[in-house]
Amino acid sequence: MKHYILLAFLFFGLNGFSQILDPVDWSTSVEKISDTEYDLVVTATIEPGWHLYSQNVPEDGPIPTTFTFETSEAFMLIDKTKEDEGHEIDDPVFMMRIKYFEDKAVFKQRVSFKNSPETVKGTVEFMVCDDSRCLPPTEKELVFEFSSQNFNPNSKLLNPVKWSTSFEKISDTEYDLIISADIEKEWHLYSQYTAEGGSLPIEIKKKEGEKAYDDYELVGKAVESDTIKKYNDVFEVVETFFDHKAVLKQRILLNNSDVTKVTLNLTGQVCKEVCIQINEDFTFLLNEEVVSENLNPSDIDNNTSNEFLYGLSNIDLANTNQNCSNDATISPSETNEEKTLWSIFGLGFLGGLLALLTPCVFPMIPLTVSFFTKKSGDNKSAGVSKAILYGFFILAVYLILSIPFHLLDSINPDILNEISTNVALNVIFFLIFVFFAFSFFGYYELTLPASWTDKTTKGENVGGLLGVFFMALTLALVSFSCTGPILGSLLAGSLTADGGAWQLTAGMGGFGLALGLPFALFAMFPNMMNALPKSGGWLNTTKVILGFLELALAFKFLSNADLVQHWGILKIEVFLGLWIVIFAGLALYLLGKIKFPHDSPLQKLSFFRVASGILVLAFVIYLASGFRVNKATNTFTPLTLLSGLAPPVGYSFFLPNDCPNNLDCFKDLKEGVAYAQKVNKPIMLDFTGYACVNCRKMEEHVWSKPKIDKYLRNEYVLISLYVDDKKPLPEDQQVLVNRINGGTRKLENYGHKWAHFQTQFFQTNSQPYYVLLSPDGKEVLNAPVGYTPDEDEYAQFLQCGLDVMNENP
């Protein structure tokens, strides 16, 4: 929590979601050296362009790769961990000779066991960099298994098959037991139906000697996923095999309903240049309660926990996406990301222009430009170039502020979402923005510690490029009382779609560009400064206007906390009422009916103030129109300008409804799937959030269109899953699960549950995100989409799902 609060004050709130960055994949295996000695093998597969550093790095260099193994009386480590050759270079950044690995790295630690080998656990801490950035140190857990499923004691080859299991409950007495195999490149696992005389086929049997052996029966052979047939010149037969992946579903029939655990034995052969015999035992726990126990990270079976939590396994939804045509299509969530970044950049630029009109910045423009041009004397070009450089460094300062959030994004892809929806932080943001507002009203001044500006001012005397940079940094610090609240308001209120830390960079870039541009322009064209208005009372008027805007935006954060925590305090009626009071106050101020401490005496109302006052009064009337009732949906009328800022219109004292536009919806996956099967309708999964701006825009301004409403009301079963719902999960569902980018997390509330479901099954963590499924929830009907404001495009997406379902009833 302390780290969250520190981040909150560094940047006054975020509503961003991000993509997952994890450039190194770690895997483990075991090589037998003798009856007592083994090599623990760790393989790092590194994405192109990234570098993993050696275990031996000079001091003050990057973080070295470090392995730590648990201590045990059963074995001892022999020598140090060995590593590949790698590459050695004279690194220009760290200014030292450094060894690193690219593409792939293999590490080996020899161990000696006193008796038979047993599971060994350890961790690896590592750091990776590319040409433009470094990710912070990361830890991964390592587990070395000596069981039959993961270790072949008679071979030094990496085991080419990785196994996983899950199950589907068909009825009280029937189950499909699913065995999935990930097969390394160029290796072949042979089918149950491969020709005799060739490689050995898979055979699945009940495990001899198991307790439940007589309590169930195998129903026929296992159903197989797609196979390949190819003539084998050696055996002179046509062989049938799996390539890359194999899925086997073996149905069983229980003779005793009390059976909770069964074990299947699988034998077969996997071949490349050589063949390895397979003899694996797979145990299935059929009682769901077992999953809810607190598990050690190494014991977590994602497929089993997913079956328990969601009624689905990853295998169900694997590789089932279809399009309605043969043409490759791009998800709107992808095409809109670039648009979103540009819109955030534009908002940041607008905020920078507003900051220029404040007393902290505006008077600095002619002073600074004159300083550069006069200091350069007759060499006007030198003065112009320094002023341009000064503007560029202002932009650079604000871009640098966004860098830490990219590092946070790569450590934990949920962290920006956690910050933006954290109840305590949103309440803190509310108080901060109220504090900012009264500062703008003139009741007190906000300043950063004098020691900060003193240090940067000293740096200005360095001269050259560094001196100009420190001048730009000084401006950013001394103008904080005016720029901080504006920047915080714009970014905290607008970073709400896909893009995460990149949205922060775009917003910071727009803001810094708007601040730095005038210094460059007026240096190149000094005569333009004559057209600038003189400093005066209008600068304070601008600050007061911004104070009213700050006060209005403060209630956005309080609304986030209220929605997520279900307090029921700031519902739509109260929110609109508060905004009406705030903007009515702004109108009265512009018309001279209200004054603040630093206002100059008002001799007469200017045309601009009167026109602005009338415009704000018109906005107050517009806000009041939000109390009109939409008879079609029996809700208040959503206001386009407040979409995402105000609470949903269904969050109401007088016209409450749990689902957008009074649609029928489910907020639990299992309940929704059961109903969809009952009525035989496809499902629309709606990954959403209470504090998600673009989710509200879709619900209130796209879903409400008659064309879209017809689909959602009549053709689909809507299941809305809120990834920021802080309501605690039942204790039996608070389980430990694996993150998709490594590590584990405990699911403590419904938001955790649905966020994990989205990342685990669909490898994305941005909202809104819409997925169309078959009635049983086990087939994706077409490519999912994100924020899609175009009504026709969204209708095409929904119709596509219906067409695919009708083609495959």
Side-chain angles (χ1 to χ4, degrees), residues 444-465:
Y444 41 79
E445 289 294 326
L446 287 175
T447 57
L448 290 175
S451 59
W452 293 19
T453 52
D454 289 344
K455 290 178 181 177
T456 57
T457 304
K458 290 178 182 177
E460 294 176 14
N461 300 322
V462 174
L465 295 180

Side-chain angles (χ1 to χ4, degrees), residues 442-705:
Y443 292 108
Y444 41 79
E445 289 294 326
L446 287 175
T447 57
L448 290 175
S451 59
W452 293 19
T453 52
D454 289 344
K455 290 178 181 177
T456 57
T457 304
K458 290 178 182 177
E460 294 176 14
N461 300 322
V462 174
L465 295 180
L466 196 58
V468 176
F469 173 78
F470 276 105
M471 286 186 68
L473 182 58
T474 301
L475 174 71
L477 294 178
V478 299
S479 63
F480 170 79
S481 62
C482 294
T483 59
I486 298 172
L487 183 60
S489 302
L490 280 167
L491 296 178
S494 60
L495 300 185
T496 53
D498 309 351
W502 283 111
Q503 288 190 344
L504 174 57
T505 299
M508 289 285 198
F511 190 86
L513 181 63
L515 278 186
L517 194 60
F519 295 96
L521 287 176
F522 288 122
M524 289 187 290
F525 307 102
N527 290 333
M528 290 175 58
M529 285 196 293
N530 296 328
L532 284 177
K534 302 299 180 183
S535 300
W538 66 272
L539 290 174
N540 186 69
T541 301
T542 303
K543 278 188 69 175
V544 172
I545 292 171
L546 292 174
F548 278 103
L549 296 178
E550 290 283 327
L551 193 58
L553 287 173
F555 288 99
K556 155 69 177 170
F557 295 102
L558 189 59
S559 174
N560 284 350
D562 181 55
L563 282 167
V564 169
Q565 202 62 28
H566 310 293
W567 288 332
I569 299 172
L570 205 62
K571 294 192 175 184
I572 186 66
E573 296 92 343
V574 177
F575 188 92
L576 286 179
L578 287 169
W579 270 48
I580 288 171
V581 171
I582 291 169
F583 283 96
L586 175 57
L588 291 174
Y589 171 75
L590 290 170
L591 296 174
K593 304 299 181 183
I594 299 175
K595 290 187 177 181
F596 289 93
H598 297 306
D599 282 329
S600 302
L602 195 60
Q603 303 297 330
K604 66 174 184 176
L605 292 176
S606 66
F607 172 77
F608 176 78
R609 288 190 71 136
V610 172
S612 299
I614 293 173
L615 187 63
V616 174
L617 283 174
F619 182 65
V620 171
I621 295 172
Y622 172 76
L623 291 174
S625 70
F627 289 111
R628 291 178 299 135
V629 177
N630 184 331
K631 294 182 179 179
T633 60
N634 194 35
T635 62
F636 289 117
T637 304
L639 300 177
T640 304
L641 295 180
L642 266 67
S643 183
L645 290 173
V649 290
Y651 190 58
S652 165
F653 287 111
F654 299 111
L655 298 172
N657 59 83
D658 289 334
C659 302
N661 306 319
N662 262 335
L663 293 167
D664 292 326
C665 74
F666 293 87
K667 295 184 180 179
D668 180 83
L669 182 64
K670 289 183 179 180
E671 289 180 9
V673 170
Y675 179 78
Q677 288 181 286
K678 180 180 178 181
V679 299
N680 194 31
K681 287 184 179 181
I683 294 165
M684 187 176 87
L685 278 188
D686 164 34
F687 289 100
T688 183
Y690 290 110
C692 171
V693 171
N694 283 343
C695 302
R696 299 295 86 73
K697 289 180 179 179
M698 287 295 295
E699 293 164 5
E700 296 177 354
H701 305 295
V702 178
W703 288 13
S704 60
K705 301 289 186 183

Side-chain angles (χ1 to χ4, degrees), residues 31 33 63 112 143 383 390 405 463 482 519 607 615-616 662:
E31 293 180 358
I33 307 302
I63 301 296
S112 175
V143 180
Y390 179 71
F405 290 89
C482 294
F519 295 96
F607 172 77
L615 187 63
V616 174
N662 262 335

Side-chain angles (χ1 to χ4, degrees), residues 80 90 128 147 158 179 213 237 241 281 305 350-351 485-486 511:
K80 295 181 179 180
D90 292 316
V128 288
S147 64
L158 278 173
I179 301 173
Y213 187 87
V237 295
F241 57 86
D281 291 334
S305 62
L350 175 63
I486 298 172
F511 190 86

